[in-house]
Amino acid sequence: MKRLLLLLLLLTSLVPSMRAQGPCVNTPNSGACFQAYDAITGQLLVGTLCAGRPVRLRDCSGRALDPAQVYYRQASTIVCSGFTDTTTTFTPTTPGPLIITQNTQGSGAGTQGIIFSRPFEVKSTPPPTFTLTTCAPGFVQVTITDTNYDQYLVQVGNDAPVPAARNTPVTYPANGPATVSVIGRYAQAQNNLCAGTATRSFTPLPPPQRPALRSLTVQGSSAEFQFGSLQPEYLYSLQVADAAAPGGYRTVAPVAGNLTSFTLSNTPLPGCYRLLLQDACQPSVASASSFVLCSVALTATAQNGRNLLRWTSEATGSYTLSRTEGSTTVQLSVPAGTTQYIDTAVTCGLTYRYRVSLTMGTTSSVSNEASVTTTSTLAPATPLLTASFNLRNQVELTAMVPRSPGGGQLTYLRNGQELRATAARTVRDSLVTPNTAEPLCYAVRFLDACGNRSADSAPVCPVLLDARAANDEGTTIRLNWTALRGPTASAPVSYRVITLSPTNTELSRVLVNGLTYLDLQPPQDQQVVRYRVEATGGGLPTSAPSSFSNVASVARQVKVFVPTAFTPNGDGLNDVLELKGRYLDNFRFTIIDRNGQQVFQATSRTQTWDGRIGTAAPAPGAYVWRFEATDQQGKRLVQHGTVTIIR
């Protein structure tokens, strides 16, 4: 019998058509039988095998078969040839349909072998895929995205696994370890042998904090929002109050949790806004909103040299108003509770930009920028003019135009005649020769940018000072000056006489009554004595409370005294020739003998001549001297004479 089976198998392998008498088919009623078991647990497997898990095959026909003549093959269809493997344990690797075919001996001697097959489905067990979203503290959301299994379980931490459906977000309590496991299995697999597990850990979210909406600034049709630090683990949305929306607020934009500022284009204005925090799992349960911040709407209109500002807001608080001209911004004081302001400190023809800021606790809302060009048909205010001499004897004129610190045109007048037309608020009149006998008065008028002309200012007349020596030697000096006429002619004026050094350092200051002063002690070490008069009062403004006169100088004559003779005989009396005089600061003194040779020269009063020429003893006789000096005013002085040496 054994030989017959081996012969039949050999013939079958050589000629496939000889495997059976008829076509190669399964013979389920032939008495042939085998079962599949899980090789690890020994469980009977019916219809389903697990990829990667070993399977053991066992004959169940009840016949006394020789194990060495029982063959198995695995393929996608029934196979009738190639039976050489008698191994009863194998591990499926490829998911999909699998047919296991058994080839055993026939029922009697000389009979052909029996072909018996059973179909199975091999299932893969990959880790199931899922998404994990951390929620507010104590919760986690799981969404199964896997498509391999038909049954799933979710286990959070050490809690018991619970069934779950794919593509359905479910929020679970998460009070234990921060891990989530998803188990996938097949309904037709016995005892859940074919199952896959995926585990992921997560970090619980920190407790949600109420967001802080710090500021709102309107920029045209957009608005810029500033936030306090946000929590990037949560979701944020910017909302505007809307009575028609559920809960009274409508979301206008999502806000990323890593931002501290956000600009919203085409902002619904006016509006009241809040920043809403929500978690990604239960937005209706875990949420917190900031305090509400409302926009401020500002309008600006020009009204005859003044700008009218009005603003509105649905919120209440304290307001501040700013005005910008060019690159200069100033804050304007706004009375509490007011919603309008009239700006009078403006100049006709200039354009101004305004903003209003509403402060509510630690938050602020800044309005749109309102721009307006000031217009008027009214005459501008009369300017105020001051006049004062500088140390270079130039008259400096300063005009102050109320509510017009710049712009427009000023026409300066000297003694009724036009001096200069300019926009400058300060000019110098350098073509002036002060003379107390000739009046010197100035005025100014203003033409604003709208073409309106002011009245002429009150005339102002600076002090004109004259100084003269009161005696031949100039040891006393008489000062006379004209009265100051300030912006207010009737206001009293006080005068002080100031003595100056050649470098304009103030040496002394004397309060004087009247318009004249006799200086009985002018500086004795100055050849040229310089004075100016300071006048205060007369309606001069606090920004320029003094007006100065021209600088008047008195030049006293340089004098030198040279003796006619001296006796260099060593008796201690009149032994040397020395110079005497006053204001001998810049000079050269030269002595020449009868041969025309220079025998002595001095440039300082400390230098003296003992009559010697070199090392030779003094030679009696007459000598010629020459004195050359330049005084402090640059005038040159030359004197000649003779001196005699007497033995």
Side-chain angles (χ1 to χ4, degrees):
M1 179 65 179
K2 186 174 181 180
R3 291 179 190 175
L4 177 60
L5 287 173
L6 290 173
L7 178 61
L8 287 173
L9 287 172
L10 179 60
L11 292 173
T12 301
S13 64
L14 295 175
V15 183
S17 62
M18 295 177 64
R19 289 176 297 182
Q21 290 180 343
C24 177
V25 295
N26 188 28
T27 56
N29 298 317
S30 63
C33 176
F34 71 89
Q35 295 287 358
Y37 297 88
D38 182 68
I40 299 174
T41 64
Q43 297 181 58
L44 177 65
L45 303 177
V46 181
T48 303
L49 307 179
C50 304
R53 192 174 183 92
V55 177
R56 179 174 294 141
L57 304 175
R58 182 182 301 168
D59 182 76
C60 58
S61 64
R63 296 182 296 157
L65 300 176
D66 182 358
Q69 296 184 25
V70 178
Y71 302 91
Y72 294 95
R73 286 201 62 187
Q74 299 88 35
S76 60
T77 60
I78 298 173
V79 294
C80 299
S81 62
F83 290 99
T84 60
D85 189 358
T86 60
T87 302
T88 59
T89 300
F90 76 98
T91 300
T93 58
T94 304
L98 178 68
I99 295 178
I100 302 176
T101 303
Q102 182 191 53
N103 185 356
T104 62
Q105 305 99 313
S107 58
T111 61
Q112 294 180 338
I114 299 173
I115 300 298
F116 177 70
S117 66
R118 295 188 64 188
F120 292 89
E121 181 74 20
V122 179
K123 297 291 188 180
S124 62
T125 58
T129 59
F130 65 96
T131 61
L132 186 66
T133 304
T134 50
C135 310
F139 294 94
V140 65
Q141 187 179 85
V142 179
T143 303
I144 298 173
T145 58
D146 190 79
T147 58
N148 292 294
Y149 303 93
D150 49 26
Q151 291 182 347
Y152 296 94
L153 298 172
V154 172
Q155 182 180 26
V156 179
N158 296 324
D159 294 345
V162 296
R166 68 165 62 100
N167 297 326
T168 303
V170 179
T171 300
Y172 301 90
N175 297 315
T179 60
V180 169
S181 296
V182 174
I183 306 164
R185 63 190 186 183
Y186 301 98
Q188 64 269 40
Q190 291 82 5
N191 298 315
N192 302 319
L193 291 178
C194 292
T197 302
T199 300
R200 292 173 57 186
S201 61
F202 65 93
T203 301
L205 294 187
Q209 304 295 323
R210 184 172 191 168
L213 182 54
R214 300 293 189 198
S215 67
L216 184 165
T217 303
V218 177
Q219 303 280 5
S221 63
S222 300
E224 180 179 315
F225 299 86
Q226 297 287 336
F227 313 126
S229 297
L230 304 182
Q231 296 174 278
E233 302 88 354
Y234 290 91
L235 303 178
Y236 293 89
S237 57
L238 187 64
Q239 296 186 320
V240 64
D242 186 346
Y249 283 88
R250 172 171 53 88
T251 297
V252 292
V255 176
N258 60 347
L259 298 180
T260 57
S261 64
F262 180 77
T263 299
L264 179 65
S265 301
N266 300 316
T267 311
L269 294 172
C272 293
Y273 295 84
R274 72 177 187 179
L275 187 63
L276 180 67
L277 172 149
Q278 295 175 304
D279 82 340
C281 310
Q282 305 176 94
S284 61
V285 177
S287 65
S289 65
S290 69
F291 290 109
V292 176
L293 198 54
C294 298
S295 65
V296 181
L298 174 66
T299 61
T301 55
Q303 294 185 341
N304 251 343
R306 304 180 178 191
N307 294 337
L308 174 62
L309 293 310
R310 291 191 175 97
W311 55 89
T312 58
S313 178
E314 295 184 34
T316 58
S318 60
Y319 290 98
T320 56
L321 177 65
S322 67
R323 177 187 65 213
T324 301
E325 178 193 353
S327 59
T328 302
T329 300
V330 296
Q331 299 296 322
L332 306 176
S333 178
V334 178
T338 187
T339 57
Q340 72 173 30
Y341 181 85
I342 298 176
D343 189 5
T344 60
V346 292
T347 301
C348 195
L350 296 184
T351 299
Y352 300 89
R353 307 188 306 277
Y354 297 89
R355 280 189 185 274
V356 169
S357 179
L358 170 62
T359 301
M360 298 163 288
T362 60
T363 66
S364 64
S365 178
V366 182
S367 75
N368 57 295
E369 185 178 79
S371 179
V372 62
T373 300
T374 306
T375 60
S376 177
T377 58
L378 302 176
T382 302
L384 176 88
L385 183 66
T386 60
S388 177
F389 281 92
N390 61 23
L391 290 169
R392 300 178 63 183
N393 279 353
Q394 299 169 318
V395 179
E396 292 186 345
L397 304 173
T398 301
M400 289 166 280
V401 184
R403 303 197 304 273
S404 298
Q409 179 174 279
L410 292 161
T411 300
Y412 294 89
L413 308 173
R414 184 213 295 155
N415 293 340
Q417 301 297 315
E418 181 175 325
L419 174 65
R420 190 174 307 163
T422 177
R425 267 45 181 178
T426 299
V427 299
R428 289 177 179 173
D429 182 10
S430 57
L431 303 178
V432 174
T433 302
N435 185 345
T436 56
E438 298 178 2
L440 184 63
C441 296
Y442 298 88
V444 67
R445 65 174 69 104
F446 178 64
L447 180 68
D448 66 22
C450 296
N452 305 305
R453 186 184 302 278
S454 74
D456 287 1
S457 70
V460 293
C461 310
V463 174
L464 301 180
L465 173 64
D466 178 71
R468 299 175 185 273
N471 55 29
D472 291 341
E473 297 298 320
T475 55
T476 59
I477 297 176
R478 170 67 66 180
L479 306 179
N480 295 287
W481 59 89
T482 61
L484 170 73
R485 178 168 180 172
T488 304
S490 59
V493 179
S494 60
Y495 301 95
R496 288 172 176 81
V497 173
I498 300 173
T499 305
L500 299 173
S501 73
T503 59
N504 294 323
T505 300
E506 184 176 313
L507 301 177
S508 65
R509 173 185 292 257
V510 180
L511 178 64
V512 178
N513 292 322
L515 303 177
T516 185
Y517 174 71
L518 179 62
D519 188 359
L520 299 176
Q521 294 181 327
Q524 296 304 310
D525 58 345
Q526 289 185 215
Q527 185 248 326
V528 178
V529 185
R530 306 171 73 245
Y531 299 93
R532 73 190 310 205
V533 172
E534 179 188 29
T536 57
L540 293 173
T542 56
S543 58
S546 299
S547 176
F548 293 91
S549 73
N550 57 295
V551 176
S553 301
V554 175
R556 295 178 286 187
Q557 187 175 0
V558 175
K559 288 192 175 183
V560 63
F561 171 74
V562 181
T564 58
F566 70 106
T567 57
N569 54 13
D571 62 359
L573 298 175
N574 201 23
D575 282 335
V576 295
L577 173 67
E578 58 181 341
L579 299 181
K580 299 183 182 296
R582 64 178 184 177
Y583 316 127
L584 302 181
D585 300 322
N586 185 15
F587 69 90
R588 183 172 61 187
F589 179 72
T590 306
I591 296 178
I592 302 171
D593 64 12
R594 66 185 66 184
N595 298 317
Q597 300 299 315
Q598 176 179 309
V599 296
F600 176 74
Q601 182 171 281
T603 57
S604 169
R605 297 178 64 174
T606 61
Q607 294 173 284
T608 59
W609 185 42
D610 60 2
R612 293 179 179 275
I613 302 174
T615 59
Y623 295 82
V624 176
W625 57 264
R626 178 182 175 88
F627 177 81
E628 303 172 83
T630 303
D631 68 12
Q632 293 180 6
Q633 289 186 318
K635 293 181 179 180
R636 184 174 174 79
L637 173 67
V638 178
Q639 290 182 265
H640 302 272
T642 61
V643 60
T644 302
I645 295 178
I646 301 173
R647 296 292 295 191

